[in-house]
Amino acid sequence: MHRERLENALFRTGYLAILTFMLLPLAVVVVTSFAESGNLAFPPENYSLVHYRAFFEEMRWLSAFDNSLLVGVGTTITATTLGVTAAFGHEIDDGRAGQVLAPLVLIPLLIPPIILGISMRVYFVRAGFEASYLSIILAHTLWATPLVYFVMRSVFSRFDWQLLDAAKDLGAGPIRSFVYAVLPNVKHGIFVGALLAFIISLQEFVMALFLSSRSTETIPVVAWTEIRQSLDPMVSVVSTFLIIISLIAIVIATIATNLDWLSKQLS
């Protein structure tokens, strides 16, 4: 009994130590964003919101923020559509094609992003989509789709497929069967996959660096450009906004997947 308690205590201590070690850099980023001086130092000598005010006055940062949201939404819609339909098709017809699909989906995640960035830049230049929003969205979709696919494979593995058969027996077509029999039972998983795709797009840097221009550059690209010139607290400000957006997405996903539990707690 004492041994089990000791093992549990050691496990929790190690887990908290690792979690703290991983979160400390984020805390440093947030704290340095409130520095009053123009130099990036920790801890700051004085605290101020001057760099937050400067962020909302700097058109390049605001434009990059808008670009990141636009690319993120486009990637989310495209990757979610492809990932959900691929996972659904795999579950419906798990033949040889389905057995080949899963390994193929993994390929973009195994290729270094710098190789993908260079290759896709050459391709999009020849296709006439150089430095466009579409090229960045398609590149981010290449990374986000496999993640959505595997999330939905997990979700569909717990779905009762007799509901789909019943809908077909009652005369519903493929689309109506999916909308009324499948979608209500897997919508939380789709939502989580979509948020995951959005976060992946929001923080992706390497491919965006090769595929963007001054007018389409995203926040990570602008941050990298600024860091090359000087260590400015503005980078910490932007990073803090990205952290907040990611945390909000995680909270929304948690709430969306635990609505029944939440309703019981609030009742």
Side-chain angles (χ1 to χ4, degrees):
M1 191 68 177
H2 294 290
R3 181 179 178 181
E4 291 182 359
R5 291 180 179 177
L6 179 61
E7 290 177 350
N8 290 334
L10 290 175
F11 174 78
R12 292 176 181 177
T13 302
Y15 179 82
L16 290 176
I18 295 174
L19 182 62
T20 302
F21 179 77
M22 295 176 63
L23 293 179
L24 275 178
L26 301 182
V28 171
V29 169
V30 174
V31 172
T32 54
S33 69
F34 294 98
E36 184 178 25
S37 66
N39 298 321
L40 195 62
F42 181 83
E45 295 181 1
N46 297 300
Y47 294 88
S48 173
L49 296 175
V50 60
H51 296 291
Y52 282 89
R53 289 194 294 267
F55 171 81
F56 290 104
E57 296 173 355
E58 181 63 46
M59 290 304 301
R60 186 182 183 188
W61 283 111
L62 294 178
S63 177
F65 193 81
D66 292 339
N67 292 340
S68 292
L69 291 180
L70 177 61
V71 171
V73 172
T75 301
T76 300
I77 295 173
T78 309
T80 302
T81 302
L82 293 175
V84 172
T85 52
F88 181 70
H90 192 173
E91 294 294 334
I92 293 297
D93 184 12
D94 191 14
R96 291 184 177 180
Q99 295 175 359
V100 175
L101 179 62
L104 287 179
V105 170
L106 274 174
I107 291 179
L109 299 178
L110 302 178
I111 300 176
I114 189 170
I115 302 299
L116 288 176
I118 295 174
S119 303
M120 298 191 75
R121 178 173 178 81
V122 173
Y123 173 77
F124 285 128
V125 167
R126 291 181 175 274
F129 298 124
E130 181 182 5
S132 65
Y133 291 114
L134 179 61
S135 63
I136 305 175
I137 289 173
L138 292 178
H140 287 182
T141 300
L142 195 63
W143 258 23
T145 300
L147 301 179
V148 178
Y149 170 79
F150 286 109
V151 167
M152 293 310 302
R153 284 295 307 277
S154 176
V155 172
F156 283 134
S157 66
R158 298 189 296 271
F159 175 68
D160 185 3
W161 292 98
Q162 291 182 351
L163 296 175
L164 182 62
D165 295 335
K168 292 180 179 178
D169 292 339
L170 293 174
I175 297 179
R176 289 178 63 87
S177 298
F178 179 83
V179 172
Y180 291 103
V182 180
L183 185 59
N185 295 282
V186 300
K187 59 184 179 182
H188 294 160
I190 295 176
F191 186 70
V192 171
L195 283 178
L196 184 61
F198 181 77
I199 293 176
I200 290 296
S201 175
L202 196 65
Q203 57 83 37
E204 201 284 322
F205 159 69
V206 177
M207 290 188 289
L209 177 64
F210 283 98
L211 298 174
S212 63
S213 64
R214 182 82 176 187
S215 61
T216 60
E217 58 187 359
T218 58
I219 285 181
V221 176
V222 177
W224 179 77
T225 304
E226 294 294 326
I227 289 176
R228 290 183 63 193
Q229 298 175 358
S230 64
L231 290 176
D232 191 341
M234 183 68 74
V235 176
S236 295
V237 172
V238 177
S239 300
T240 300
F241 282 126
L242 293 180
I243 292 171
I244 292 174
I245 293 174
S246 299
L247 289 176
I248 292 174
I250 292 173
V251 171
I252 293 175
T254 303
I255 294 175
T257 54
N258 292 276
L259 289 177
D260 295 336
W261 175 85
L262 184 63
S263 62
K264 291 179 182 179
Q265 299 298 316
L266 296 178
S267 61

